[in-house]
């Protein structure tokens, strides 16, 4: 039974090379993430060609380390799961080619995983010997909030998704990364904004709270307002930068919560799942924890290291995909754009 088996997950959709070994119940036996931050920091963003070359250099070492740390040899594995989109094509190709090669060499089935659906599973991972912090409960509402996505998804059952809304312009993480650049903060921008915001006042700088009808989001107005204010009143001291950072962070978090709250109030789910790199944000976690408690909905949010990109979430999601699809022919492709879970859109 694959549910009780061991899955090797591989993730290379952007600038982290990651591999993990996860048991079907969500127990993480190993999770290795090789960050490329130092290679891209100088450019203020991910350089696709550098990303794919770096993945090529380290992918086998990362997989070997994940196997070693899990104390499971290839013989103990039952499945390989790999991200095949959305993401940078040159990066995805490296992980998918590696996964297909291991699948052939070790005679194991391999399944392609949607990166956004993988994020949705991160809340259910746990360490050996620990009880799962939460188990999936349905219906659920899930907010995936990352560098490329801001998706609100209703989860009616395992693998049964309905996309409620998404961003009409920038993703929340993208907005934070751009704001960090405007404020002269480091890369990646989200953690830099969080750190700078620590000493700042969240109400110091007047920024709008763009509200979109339905369950969509918009962050372009917030970003443009910040750019205009920075141009008119350039921050003159670290305290000013802290105020700008804290105010922008508060704006992003309030916009995220306002729409999520509407979905929770309308759909009355049993569980609210929050995932993706921006879910690592401390202010977001405080606001969502308080909001969920007020609404009487159970919050499932992974620890920060499973919010950002990792392969453990890909492995766990792979089990669900395998249950849906069974063995997949090894000629599957990679996609820079893949419809989010519950979206009938096009693969590109
Ligand atoms: O999920 P992720 O690692 O990669 C994508 O799938 O995009 O998310 C990366 C995004 C980046 O925009 C990064 O700035 C943001 O997550 N991020 C954070 C924090 N850690 C990562 N944003 C705010 N606060 C953080 N602590
Ligand atoms: Zn991600």
């Amino acid at each position: 039974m694959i549910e009780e088996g061991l899955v090797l997950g591989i993730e290379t959709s952007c600038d982290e090379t990651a591999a993990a070994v996860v048991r079907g119940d969500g127990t993480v036996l190993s999770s290795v993430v090789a960050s490329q931050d130092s290679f891209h920091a100088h450019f203020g963003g991910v350089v696709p060609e550098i990303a794919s070359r770096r993945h090529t250099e380290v992918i086998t070492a990362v997989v070997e380390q994940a196997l070693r740390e899990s104390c499971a040899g290839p013989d103990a594995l039952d499945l390989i799961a790999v991200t095949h989109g959305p993401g940078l094509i040159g990066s995805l190709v490296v992980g998918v080619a590696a996964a297909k090669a291991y699948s052939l060499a070790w005679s194991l089935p391999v399944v392609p995983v949607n990166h956004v659906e993988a994020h949705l599973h991160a809340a259910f991972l746990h360490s050996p010997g620990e009880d799962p912090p939460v188990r999936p409960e349905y219906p659920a509402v899930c907010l995936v909030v990352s560098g490329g996505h801001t998706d609100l998804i209703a989860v009616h059952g395992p693998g049964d998704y309905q996309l409620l809304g998404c961003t009409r312009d920038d993703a929340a993480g993208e907005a934070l990364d751009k704001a960090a650049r405007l404020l002269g903060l480091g890369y990646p921008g989200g953690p830099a904004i969080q750190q700078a915001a620590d000493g700042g006042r969240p109400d110091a700088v007047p920024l709008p709270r763009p509200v979109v009808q339905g369950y969509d989001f918009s962050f372009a107005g917030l970003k443009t307002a910040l750019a205009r204010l920075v141009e008119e009143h350039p921050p003159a001291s670290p305290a000013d930068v802290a105020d700008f950072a804290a105010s922008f962070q508060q704006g992003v978090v309030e916009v995220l919560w306002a729409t999520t709250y509407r979905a929770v109030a309308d759909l009355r789910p049993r569980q609210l799942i929050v995932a993706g790199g921006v879910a690592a944000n401390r202010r977001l976690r405080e606001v969502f924890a308080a909001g969920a408690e007020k609404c009487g909905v159970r919050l499932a949010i992974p620890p920060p290291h499973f919010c950002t990109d990792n392969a453990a979430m890909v492995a766990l999601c792979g089990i669900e995909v395998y249950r849906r699809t069974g063995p997949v022919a090894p000629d599957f492709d990679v996609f820079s754009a893949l419809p989010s879970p519950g979206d009938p859109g096009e693969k590109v």
Side-chain angles (χ1 to χ4, degrees):
M1 280 291 279
I2 209 79
E3 282 84 350
E4 287 147 25
L6 281 190
V7 187
L8 170 67
I10 296 179
E11 157 64 41
T12 62
S13 65
C14 190
D15 63 337
E16 327 275 5
T17 319
V21 177
V22 174
R23 205 177 288 140
D25 65 354
T27 307
V28 181
L29 301 188
S30 67
S31 176
V32 179
V33 180
S35 166
Q36 300 181 1
D37 282 354
S38 62
F39 294 85
H40 302 287
H42 170 72
F43 302 97
V46 177
V47 182
E49 187 179 320
I50 295 178
S52 46
R53 295 178 110 162
R54 186 72 191 143
H55 286 311
T56 305
E57 284 170 1
V58 304
I59 183 74
T60 49
V62 166
V63 170
E64 278 165 20
Q65 188 182 338
L67 285 176
R68 207 169 43 248
E69 288 181 7
S70 73
C71 297
D75 290 354
L77 297 175
D78 298 283
L79 179 69
I80 298 175
V82 62
T83 303
H84 77 137
L88 301 170
I89 288 291
S91 290
L92 291 162
V93 159
V94 178
V96 166
K100 290 180 182 181
Y102 287 121
S103 144
L104 270 176
W106 299 335
S107 301
L108 286 169
V110 57
V111 286
V113 166
N114 179 323
H115 182 81
V116 176
E117 188 182 357
H119 270 301
L120 213 133
H121 285 74
F124 309 111
L125 296 165
H126 56 96
S127 302
E130 260 181 16
D131 281 338
V134 280
R135 292 176 199 279
E137 290 181 82
Y138 306 106
V141 163
C142 178
L143 175 69
V144 178
V145 64
S146 70
H149 288 82
T150 307
D151 289 339
L152 201 53
I153 299 163
V155 191
H156 301 297
D160 183 1
Y161 306 114
Q162 177 193 358
L163 183 66
L164 300 171
C166 57
T167 182
R168 297 204 175 164
D169 37 61
D170 292 346
E174 191 182 355
L176 286 161
D177 291 339
K178 287 178 180 167
R181 223 171 297 152
L182 273 171
L183 295 172
L185 297 169
Y187 168 84
I193 291 266
Q194 174 176 301
Q195 200 182 347
D198 266 352
R201 294 166 296 157
D203 56 354
V205 181
L207 290 168
R209 301 286 186 267
V211 176
V212 185
Q213 284 207 326
Y215 301 119
D216 282 348
F217 301 88
S218 168
F219 295 98
L222 199 54
K223 182 193 65 189
T224 309
L226 179 77
R228 203 174 320 115
L229 285 169
V230 167
E231 201 180 306
E232 285 166 8
H233 313 282
S237 65
D240 286 351
V241 173
D243 281 346
F244 272 109
S247 301
F248 191 80
Q249 176 181 260
Q250 185 68 20
V252 169
V253 169
E254 282 185 17
V255 167
L256 289 170
W257 174 249
T259 301
T260 305
Y261 168 74
R262 269 208 314 279
V264 168
D266 293 348
L267 276 71
R268 306 223 150 268
R270 296 179 65 192
Q271 188 168 62
L272 171 61
I273 306 167
V274 190
V278 180
N281 184 267
R282 212 176 311 123
R283 186 71 194 122
L284 179 147
R285 299 171 81 88
E286 287 165 5
V287 167
F288 274 66
E293 197 179 333
K294 234 183 224 166
C295 295
V297 62
R298 270 186 288 277
L299 182 66
I301 186 164
H305 63 280
F306 285 143
C307 289
T308 47
D309 286 351
N310 66 85
M313 65 186 194
V314 176
L316 187 57
C317 184
I319 293 170
E320 194 156 301
V321 172
Y322 189 77
R323 209 180 287 136
R324 286 205 298 263
T325 65
V328 173
D331 60 352
F332 59 84
D333 203 354
V334 294
F335 299 95
S336 59
L338 207 51
S340 288
D343 179 4
E346 294 279 305
K347 295 177 180 177
V348 183

